[in-house]
Amino acid sequence: MILDRLRFLLIGPPLPTQQMAHKRLNKIRALAAFSPDALSSVAYANQEIYLGLVIAGAAGLSLVFPIGLAITGLLVLVALSYFQTIHGYPSGGGSYTVAKRNLGTLPGLTAAAALMVGYTLTAAVSLTAGVEAIASAFPVLWPYRVESALLMLTVIALLNLRGLQEASTAIAIPVYLFLFTFLPMLAWGALRLLQEGMGSLTSVAPPATEPLTPFLILHAFAAGCTALTGIEAISNGVPAFRPPEARNAGRTLIVMAILMAALFAGSASLIQAFAVIPRPDETVLSALARRLLGSGPAYILVQVSTTLILAIAANTSFAGFPRLAAILAADGFLPRQLTGLGDRLVYSNGIVLLTAATAGLILLFGGDTHALIPLFAVGVFLAFTLSQVGMVVHWGRERGRGWAAKAFLNGLGALATAVALLIIAVSRFVEGAWITIVTIPLLVSGFLKVRAHYQEIASALSMHGLPPPLEVPPRPRVVIPISGVHRGIVDAVNFARSIAREVTVVYVEVEPGSGERVRQKWEQWWPDIPLVILPSPYRSIIRPLLDFLDETDRQHNDGQQAVVILPEFVPARGWHNLLHNQTAWLLKTALLYRRRRLGFQRVIIDIPYHLRQ
C-alpha cells in the first residue's frame, strides 16, 4: 500500500526482534545519543545567568563566573550520585525506579511525572535555543523561529523512529563537531586572556536597573541550574548500552560530566573575563565567539555547531522519554500501547507522543526559549532529589561494602539539589515555574487513574467466581442487517443458517418504496428466511435497527440476545473506502460500545466479502 511504502521510505523497513541485541550502543554512539542535552545546556544556561545578572549592571555581571563555578560543583556532585545509581540499578528507569522501590509508589510516580515534564520541556528548549543560536549569526531567521524549530523537531523524530543506532550515528557528527569547535575556542580564549588581560565590565556594562540583592543572585543561580538538565539520561537508558551495560554506562557518564564541567565553567569564566555584552538580537555565547574569533568562517562554524547540538539535544529526550513511558506502562500507570516496540525496534508510540507534546509547547510559547526555561528546572531537580534520597535508603538496606560513604554522597547530593529546587521554585514561581508545580500532581493523578482502570478491567475479566459453563449452549437467534440483495450477503446468510435456530433479515427503508423492491428480489433467493422491512422517516439506519433488536429480544425472552451478523464488502484498494458510506462499520461501532441489555451480551459477527477490483 502507498502508506506502507511511505513509512518504509521515511523510517525504514521492519526489523526482526532477533536484531534487538545488535541495536545496542557502544560508548562512542551512546555519548552521542545521551549527551547532547547535557553538553548543549551550556548555551542557554549561560544565557539565563547573564539575563538574570545584567539588570544589576557591572556589579551583577561580576558574579557570572562565581555562580557558574557553584553550578559546576553541583553538577559534579549530581554526576557522582547518578554514577552510583547506574551500578545500583543497571536495569534502567533512573529516578522513577529508584524512588518507587525505596520510597514508595507515590514518590516514584512524582519522580516519573517530573522527568516526563522535564524531557518534554528539554526538547522544546533545546530546539528553540538552537534556532536562536543560528539566528544570532543570521538575524533574518528571527521571525521564523517557530517554523524552524518545528522543522528540526520533525527531523529528530524521524531519525528516532528509524531506530536508536541510526539516530545516534547521525547525531554523532554534530556532537563531536561541537566539541571539536567549542573546546578549542575556549582554549584559544584562555590563551588570549593571558596575553590581553581582563576586560572592564564597568566600562561596557549597561546601567543597573535593579540593585544587586541576595534574591537576585539566587534567581540567577536558579536560572543557571538548567545546565544540569540531561545528566540523568544515561542512568535511565542503561539497557541501551552494550554489555557490560552498567560499566559502559558509568564510564560514559563520567566522560560526559567532565565535558559538561569544562564547557560550562570555561565559557562562564571567559564571558566575565572578557566583559562580553551581546547585542539585543544575539546570545551571550554568540557574543563570546565573535569576541574571540571575529565574524569570519571560524565564528560561523561555532554558531552552526552550537545550533546543531542544540537541535539534536532534543534527542536526549527522545532517548529517555519513550523508555520511561514504557516502564510506566509496564507497571500499569500509562496505556499499554507505550510498551510495544515498533517496526524499527524502538518505542514508536512514545516517540510520537513526545513529538506532539513538544510541538505543542513550541507553538504555545512562540518559540521563545527564555519563556520556556522557568518551567522545566523544577521537574528536573525534583527528580534529582527523589532519586538521591531513594539511593540513601537503598544503601541503608543493602549495607554492602562502603555503604556508609555511598549513602553520605547521595545524601549530600539530595541536600544540594533540594536546596536548589527550593531556590528555583521560589525565585521563578511567577515566571512560569508554577505551571510545572501544578502539572506534576495532575500527571500523578492521571497515572493512578490509569492503574485503577487496569485493575478494574482485571477484576471484571477474572474467572474467579464464574459458574461452570453449560455443556451444550443453545443455538442462537441471528439477525442480519442488509443494504440490498447482492453477492456481498451470500456468505453471511449461509453462515447464519449453519449456526442459528432462527434467522431474520432486516432492511431499513430510508427511501420510501425501496423496501418492496428489496422484498421481491429477496424472495427469489431465500423465500424461507423472513425479511423485516423497517421504515425510517428520519433517514436513520442505526436507531431503527437498535430499536428492533431490543424489541425482538424482549418478545422472545429466551435468556439471550440475538446475534448480529454484518455482511461487509471490502474494496480492492484502500482509497476506495472513501467512496462508500461505511454503514457496516458505524453499525458495528454502535453495537460494540452499547451497554448490555436484559442482562446478556450481544455477539457481533463480521462476514467480509472482498472485491477483486
Side-chain angles (χ1 to χ4, degrees):
M1 293 179 64
I2 296 177
L3 291 179
D4 288 335
R5 292 175 183 173
L6 180 61
R7 188 173 78 250
F8 294 164
L9 176 65
L10 291 175
I11 67 174
L15 296 173
T17 306
Q18 292 86 339
Q19 287 194 20
M20 189 69 181
H22 302 292
K23 300 295 289 183
R24 302 243 184 138
L25 303 176
N26 59 28
K27 291 188 288 293
I28 299 296
R29 283 184 170 145
L31 183 64
F34 291 108
S35 72
D37 173 30
L39 297 178
S40 67
S41 61
V42 61
Y44 48 80
N46 275 309
Q47 178 76 4
E48 291 302 304
I49 293 175
Y50 172 83
L51 293 176
L53 294 173
V54 71
I55 57 177
L61 293 177
S62 66
L63 295 177
V64 168
F65 179 61
I67 290 176
L69 200 60
I71 294 173
T72 302
L74 182 60
L75 184 155
V76 172
L77 191 59
V78 173
L80 290 174
S81 177
Y82 274 102
F83 181 82
Q84 297 189 155
T85 301
I86 287 171
H87 292 84
Y89 291 91
S91 61
S95 300
Y96 165 65
T97 300
V98 174
K100 181 172 178 285
R101 292 185 183 178
N102 296 289
L103 304 178
T105 299
L106 198 58
L109 293 178
T110 303
L115 274 178
M116 296 188 82
V117 170
Y119 279 136
T120 307
L121 285 162
T122 294
V125 167
S126 300
L127 292 168
T128 55
V131 172
E132 289 177 0
I134 195 64
S136 295
F138 303 100
V140 69
L141 294 175
W142 276 99
Y144 305 102
R145 287 179 296 170
V146 172
E147 294 84 351
S148 301
L150 291 176
L151 177 62
M152 290 192 289
L153 172 64
T154 302
V155 173
I156 294 296
L158 288 175
L159 283 173
N160 279 274
L161 286 170
R162 290 191 67 87
L164 194 58
Q165 272 198 353
E166 283 76 7
S168 60
T169 300
I171 284 166
I173 297 173
V175 169
Y176 291 109
L177 175 65
F178 174 75
L179 291 174
F180 291 136
T181 56
F182 210 85
L183 288 173
M185 184 189 76
L186 296 180
W188 172 244
L191 183 61
R192 287 272 302 272
L193 184 62
L194 292 176
Q195 295 173 344
E196 301 174 14
M198 301 278 289
S200 172
L201 283 168
T202 305
S203 60
V204 297
T209 58
E210 291 188 21
L212 183 63
T213 62
F215 182 81
L216 186 65
I217 296 172
L218 291 176
H219 183 271
F221 173 82
C225 281
T226 54
L228 274 69
T229 58
I231 200 169
E232 79 291 343
I234 290 178
S235 70
N236 292 342
V238 176
F241 284 78
R242 288 180 180 175
E245 293 88 345
R247 187 174 69 182
N248 287 333
R251 290 178 176 177
T252 305
L253 175 64
I254 294 300
V255 172
M256 184 180 76
I258 292 172
L259 291 172
M260 287 175 66
L263 291 169
F264 186 67
S267 57
S269 64
L270 292 179
I271 289 169
Q272 180 174 325
F274 283 106
V276 173
I277 305 295
R279 302 189 312 256
D281 60 348
E282 185 179 36
T283 65
V284 69
L285 281 190
S286 170
L288 175 63
R290 198 186 299 275
R291 171 72 173 78
L292 296 175
L293 305 172
S295 300
Y299 163 77
I300 297 296
L301 180 61
V302 169
Q303 288 307 105
V304 169
S305 67
T306 303
T307 298
L308 289 176
I309 195 170
L310 279 165
I312 63 165
N315 192 70
T316 300
S317 296
F318 280 94
F321 183 99
R323 288 183 176 277
L324 176 60
I327 294 171
L328 283 167
D331 288 346
F333 295 108
L334 280 178
R336 296 278 166 78
Q337 296 93 319
L338 292 169
T339 63
L341 288 171
D343 290 345
R344 301 290 293 179
L345 301 180
V346 293
Y347 297 109
S348 304
N349 291 330
I351 292 172
V352 172
L353 177 62
L354 176 61
T355 303
T358 304
L361 283 173
I362 292 172
L363 291 169
L364 184 63
F365 287 87
D368 186 354
T369 304
H370 186 61
L372 285 163
I373 286 286
L375 277 69
F376 82 124
V378 171
V380 170
F381 275 83
L382 178 58
F384 286 169
T385 303
L386 289 171
S387 173
Q388 292 177 105
V389 171
M391 287 303 296
V392 173
V393 176
H394 169 77
W395 298 127
R397 288 175 177 171
E398 293 289 322
R399 291 185 176 269
R401 183 178 179 183
W403 72 271
K406 294 176 180 178
F408 174 77
L409 180 59
N410 283 123
L412 186 61
L415 179 62
T417 55
V419 171
L421 172 62
L422 182 63
I423 294 171
I424 293 167
V426 172
S427 65
R428 315 216 78 179
F429 184 85
V430 177
E431 297 177 20
W434 67 269
I435 299 176
T436 303
I437 294 171
V438 171
T439 301
I440 290 174
L442 291 177
L443 282 176
V444 172
S445 176
F447 295 155
L448 294 174
K449 288 181 179 179
V450 170
R451 184 180 66 167
H453 169 75
Y454 282 130
Q455 289 175 338
E456 290 170 1
I457 293 295
S459 176
L461 297 178
S462 172
M463 298 291 286
H464 180 72
L466 191 68
L470 297 175
E471 293 184 3
V472 182
R475 297 180 70 190
R477 290 179 291 110
V478 170
V479 172
I480 309 176
I482 64 170
S483 60
V485 180
H486 50 73
R487 289 191 180 192
I489 69 171
V490 174
D491 290 342
V493 174
N494 291 338
F495 178 75
R497 298 175 76 177
S498 71
I499 66 169
R501 57 185 170 86
E502 179 183 334
V503 178
T504 303
V505 176
V506 177
Y507 175 78
V508 180
E509 186 183 51
V510 177
E511 180 184 349
S514 62
E516 189 57 34
R517 293 192 295 270
V518 170
R519 183 188 298 279
Q520 292 174 5
K521 195 170 183 180
W522 176 263
E523 290 179 349
Q524 295 176 12
W525 291 93
W526 295 282
D528 57 324
I529 299 178
L531 171 67
V532 176
I533 297 175
L534 302 176
S536 179
Y538 295 101
R539 300 162 302 283
S540 169
I541 294 176
I542 307 299
R543 175 49 56 187
L545 181 60
L546 295 179
D547 292 341
F548 172 80
L549 291 171
D550 291 343
E551 180 61 27
T552 55
D553 288 338
R554 279 193 293 268
Q555 290 176 359
H556 282 81
N557 193 25
D558 55 2
Q560 62 177 321
Q561 288 187 311
V563 172
V564 177
I565 292 182
L566 295 174
E568 181 177 6
F569 67 84
V570 181
R573 300 182 184 278
W575 66 270
H576 290 174
N577 285 298
L578 300 174
L579 307 178
H580 303 281
N581 56 19
Q582 307 296 325
T583 303
W585 181 83
L586 294 172
L587 182 56
K588 182 165 44 181
T589 303
L591 290 168
L592 184 63
Y593 292 100
R594 200 169 188 234
R595 305 303 298 174
R596 69 172 70 190
R597 299 295 179 92
L598 305 176
F600 302 100
Q601 304 279 14
R602 187 181 304 286
V603 177
I604 307 160
I605 301 174
D606 197 42
I607 305 295
Y609 180 78
H610 292 269
L611 300 175
R612 295 185 178 181
Q613 56 183 348

